[in-house]
């Protein structure tokens, strides 16, 4: 993993050396502090040459600016500053970080061109974006076999390696920013943890190793309970176990409980937790209904839902969220072998529902069926949100920019949509209904595990809904298009995005804390 940048907040500039980053708008105006640098004429001239218009996130880079004491002046467009939400400030931070080289020291004069202050929360969001942008997964880049690299082991393919970037953010609201940063850096760590888990190959992270990583949250005060194969057998979790039986690596189910809520009164139901349930298929070959070879390597990321849940629990515990939250992840490997599950097999889930297996590649819903059941019978949650890289069909429907959202509760759907808009991890609500539910009726069992090609993400969601008890508010997020392989953004250069940590942290903060 790359070194995290050292982000810090200051009331005033300590020394005008290194790189100075300033913010502007489409009139190429600067705030008062920035104006004091005497850069206006220089920037106007350079902007004319470069046809720089100060548009949102556009960068103008001036090296060795004449007559100034520092090495480099980076001008970044802020866009319509009144309308910026959390995610926009993070994209700004990511853009700024992206202009810096390793080891570079930069000072950001965080000031709006119109002189109004940038709030502590917004400054912290800039820092969050910078930390997320700096992440890269390079653990397995030994550098030893690269003739073009002059740097040896830690070289970044020939680029200088001089440690982490140092970003000093200078702003009037710096003391508020420092306070807000405690929570924001916890979120950054959680998202990066999720990325790490998704990026790691399946030979390194099997179900047991993944469970061990989740168990490390105990150090933050999270209560961990891990179920072994034997314990799951006893509970009758045959939907999950059916998927796992083709692998030589045994499955695990991990429950992570963070009880940060002040209210301990069980009579009013206020202490009932919010549950997050994640699909953790450490590798999905498809099983006997095997997938084509092309691109199958991406299926090491089929635990993106579980990774987001672990990253979220890490974030909530590190920032000591005042909420009662439980994370449940079902960890299996979907492999074809002599003992593997077959199409036509009928399994009974722990809830008692019988399932005809039509396609062994529709395995995520089988894992979630038992994980959802376990979450409800153990913790009686008032709300459940599950996350899963569940269907290719959701990518056909929505591409990479929105996760698919299915919900049985309008208030929860609205809260998730809002959290998504604010953080930039966006969701798009998809329909549920009796006509879709009918598509998973089986000739032989209660339901079957696929509903045909049409509406593939919806029938998958209907399947999950069969395992949600009446009265529980539930949402399912299909993150197959957003968890990995999505286009690079201002705040992510890695294959894994860590999608889910930011939207769900915001959901908890806005709805279930205090
Ligand atoms: N893990 C896949 C879905 C997936 C595909 C995630 C591509 C990320 C990228 C899931 O287990 C799967 O195989 N789904 C099938 C379901 C089908 C057999 C009903 C699919 O989408 O094709
Ligand atoms: Mn599959
Ligand atoms: Zn899968």
């Amino acid at each position: 993993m790359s070194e995290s940048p050292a982000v810090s907040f200051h009331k005033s500039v300590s020394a005008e050396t290194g790189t100075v980053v300033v913010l502007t708008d489409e009139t190429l105006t600067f705030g008062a502090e920035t104006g004091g640098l005497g850069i206006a004429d220089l920037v106007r001239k350079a902007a004319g040459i470069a046809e720089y218009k100060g548009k949102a996130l556009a960068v103008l880079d001036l090296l060795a600016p004449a007559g100034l004491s520092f090495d480099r002046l980076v001008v970044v467009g802020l866009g319509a500053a009144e309308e910026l939400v959390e995610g926009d400030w993070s994209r700004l931070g990511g853009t700024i970080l992206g202009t810096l080289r390793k080891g570079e020291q930069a000072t950001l004069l965080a000031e709006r061109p119109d002189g109004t202050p940038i709030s502590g929360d917004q400054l912290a969001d800039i820092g969050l974006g910078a930390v997320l942008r700096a992440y890269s997964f390079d653990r397995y880049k030994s550098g030893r076999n690269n003739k073009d690299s002059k740097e040896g082991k830690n070289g970044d393919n020939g680029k200088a390696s001089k440690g982490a970037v140092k970003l000093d953010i200078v702003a009037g609201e710096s003391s508020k920013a420092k306070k807000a940063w405690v929570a924001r850096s916890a979120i950054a760590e959680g998202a990066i943890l999720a990325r790490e888990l998704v990026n790691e190959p399946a030979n390194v992270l099997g179900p047991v190793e993944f469970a061990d990583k989740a168990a490390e949250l105990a150090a933050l005060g999270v209560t961990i309970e891990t179920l072994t194969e034997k314990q799951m057998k006893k509970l009758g979790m045959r939907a999950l176990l059916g998927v796992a039986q083709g692998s030589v690596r045994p499955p695990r189910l991990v429950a992570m409980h963070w009880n940060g809520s002040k209210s301990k009164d069980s009579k009013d139901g206020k202490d009932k937790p919010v549950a997050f349930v994640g699909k953790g298929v450490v590798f999905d070959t498809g099983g006997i209904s095997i997938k084509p070879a092309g691109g199958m390597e991406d299926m090491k990321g089929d635990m993106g839902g579980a990774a987001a849940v672990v990253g979220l629990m890490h974030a909530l515990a590190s920032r000591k969220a005042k909420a009662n939250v439980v994370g449940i992840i079902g960890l299996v490997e979907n492999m074809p072998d002599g003992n593997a599950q077959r199409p036509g097999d009928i399994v009974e889930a722990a809830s008692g529902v019988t399932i005809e297996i039509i396609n062994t590649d529709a395995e995520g819903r089988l894992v979630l069926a038992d994980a959802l059941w376990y979450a409800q019978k153990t913790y009686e949650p008032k709300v459940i949100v599950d996350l899963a890289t569940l269907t290719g069909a959701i990518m056909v429907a929505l591409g990479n920019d929105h996760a698919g959202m299915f919900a049985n509760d309008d208030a929860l759907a609205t809260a998730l949509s809002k959290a998504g808009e604010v953080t930039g991890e966006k969701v798009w609500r998809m329909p549920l209904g009796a006509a879709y539910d009918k598509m998973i009726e089986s000739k032989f069992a209660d339901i079957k595990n696929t509903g045909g090609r049409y509406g593939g993400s919806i029938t998958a969601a209907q399947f999950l809904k069969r395992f949600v008890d009446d009265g529980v508010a539930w949402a399912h997020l299909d993150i197959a298009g957003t968890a990995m392989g999505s286009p690079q953004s201002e705040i992510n250069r890695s294959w894994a995005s860590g999608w889910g940590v930011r939207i769900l942290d915001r959901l908890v903060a806005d709805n279930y804390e205090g």
Side-chain angles (χ1 to χ4, degrees):
M1 193 187 125
S2 54
E3 277 180 84
S4 259
V7 173
S8 56
F9 301 89
H10 309 269
K11 192 94 196 161
S12 57
V13 184
S14 51
E16 271 158 23
T17 55
T19 297
V20 174
V21 184
V22 298
L23 305 175
T24 193
D25 58 15
E26 292 183 24
T27 64
L28 298 187
T29 307
F30 296 106
E33 191 92 5
T34 311
L37 293 173
I39 59 171
D41 290 345
L42 189 70
V43 168
R44 263 173 223 286
K45 191 168 173 197
I49 298 164
E51 293 185 32
Y52 179 78
K53 303 268 192 286
K55 291 220 178 334
L57 305 183
V59 172
L60 178 67
D61 192 354
L62 302 175
L63 298 175
L68 297 170
S69 61
F70 41 91
D71 302 336
R72 192 176 163 207
L73 176 66
V74 177
V75 183
V76 185
L78 198 52
E82 322 80 62
E83 292 161 25
L84 302 181
V85 294
E86 205 171 296
D88 297 315
W89 293 102
S90 293
R91 287 167 67 222
L92 174 68
T95 301
I96 291 167
L97 198 286
T99 67
L100 306 175
R101 289 179 306 272
K102 275 187 184 170
E104 196 163 344
Q105 184 271 319
T107 303
L108 166 64
L109 297 183
E111 186 184 28
R112 288 183 206 251
D114 68 4
T116 58
I118 299 175
S119 76
D121 281 340
Q122 292 164 339
L123 293 164
D125 286 326
I126 294 175
L128 171 62
V131 173
L132 291 177
R133 171 63 176 258
Y135 170 78
S136 69
F137 183 72
D138 43 25
R139 180 167 297 132
Y140 301 102
K141 293 266 189 196
S142 75
R144 267 182 237 116
N145 209 12
N146 184 351
K147 289 196 201 92
D148 298 332
S149 170
K150 298 179 190 75
E151 294 292 325
K153 193 157 186 335
N154 296 314
D156 185 6
N157 296 328
K159 269 195 238 155
S161 173
K162 291 174 285 170
V165 168
K166 192 168 170 294
L167 180 62
D168 296 336
I169 302 180
V170 177
E173 300 285 294
S174 63
S175 49
K176 282 186 186 147
K178 279 179 199 164
K179 278 188 206 124
W181 183 238
V182 177
R184 290 311 191 288
S185 52
I187 296 165
E189 271 176 31
I192 287 173
L193 171 58
R195 288 179 185 176
E196 286 278 291
L197 293 168
V198 173
N199 280 323
E200 278 289 355
N203 60 327
V204 175
L205 271 193
V208 171
E209 293 81 7
F210 196 113
D212 289 345
K213 288 275 179 199
E216 286 175 14
L217 295 184
L220 297 172
V222 176
T223 309
I224 306 290
E225 190 198 5
T226 303
L227 300 188
T228 62
E229 188 173 13
K230 202 171 150 196
Q231 289 167 305
M232 287 190 267
K233 260 188 194 141
K234 231 174 160 178
L235 291 165
M237 298 171 73
R238 295 186 198 286
L240 183 153
L241 291 168
V243 177
Q245 76 191 29
S247 171
V248 295
R249 299 195 284 182
R252 289 289 184 268
L253 184 136
V254 183
M256 298 156 271
H257 194 177
W258 170 252
N259 200 346
S261 161
K262 280 180 287 186
S263 159
K264 302 273 187 274
D265 181 0
S266 46
K267 269 172 264 146
D268 63 5
K270 268 194 196 144
D271 65 331
K272 285 193 175 174
V274 179
F276 295 100
V277 178
K279 168 180 173 181
V281 177
V282 297
F283 196 82
D284 181 12
T285 64
I288 294 301
S289 314
I290 199 162
K291 287 181 181 295
M296 204 205 274
E297 66 277 11
D298 284 356
M299 286 301 111
K300 73 171 183 175
D302 208 19
M303 23 55 69
V309 172
V310 174
L312 172 69
M313 296 307 294
H314 181 97
L316 294 172
S318 331
R319 71 172 182 79
K320 300 192 165 43
K322 293 185 185 63
N324 190 0
V325 181
V326 60
I328 311 255
I329 54 178
L331 301 165
V332 303
E333 180 175 46
N334 189 21
M335 294 288 265
D337 90 342
N339 192 44
Q341 161 162 274
R342 291 151 291 256
D345 285 4
I346 295 174
V347 294
E348 184 182 350
S351 73
V353 171
T354 58
I355 305 163
E356 182 191 4
I357 308 299
I358 301 296
N359 187 321
T360 64
D361 197 11
E363 84 297 340
R365 64 200 74 183
L366 298 167
V367 173
L368 288 172
D370 282 339
L372 286 166
W373 170 82
Y374 187 78
Q376 290 165 105
K377 78 133 199 147
T378 314
Y379 298 97
E380 295 179 33
K382 55 186 169 193
V383 173
I384 303 180
V385 179
D386 78 70
L387 297 99
T389 49
L390 203 63
T391 67
I394 202 66
M395 292 188 262
V396 177
L398 299 177
N400 303 117
D401 199 41
H402 285 79
M405 170 175 67
F406 302 82
N408 67 0
D409 183 277
D410 291 344
L412 176 60
T414 305
L416 276 165
S417 294
K418 188 166 166 253
E421 282 301 323
V422 168
T423 56
E425 289 189 334
K426 291 174 284 183
V427 297
W428 194 260
R429 191 169 184 183
M430 303 278 288
L432 291 164
Y436 298 111
D437 189 60
K438 212 168 154 32
M439 291 167 74
I440 57 167
E441 274 173 13
S442 159
K443 261 197 292 256
F444 304 104
D446 297 335
I447 49 174
K448 53 186 178 180
N449 79 329
T450 67
R453 236 161 56 79
Y454 287 1
S457 309
I458 309 175
T459 48
Q462 292 291 164
F463 183 98
L464 299 180
K465 191 169 181 291
R466 293 284 189 132
F467 299 90
V468 177
D469 298 340
D470 289 341
V472 177
W474 159 76
H476 155 60
L477 303 178
D478 193 335
I479 61 171
T482 54
M484 67 236 185
S486 41
Q488 300 201 322
S489 74
E490 290 87 358
I491 59 163
N492 185 33
R493 296 283 131 165
S494 131
W495 179 71
S497 65
W499 198 100
V501 174
R502 289 185 303 131
I503 180 179
L504 296 179
D505 180 87
R506 171 68 35 222
L507 179 82
V508 171
D510 285 351
N511 300 279
Y512 308 115
E513 277 193 69

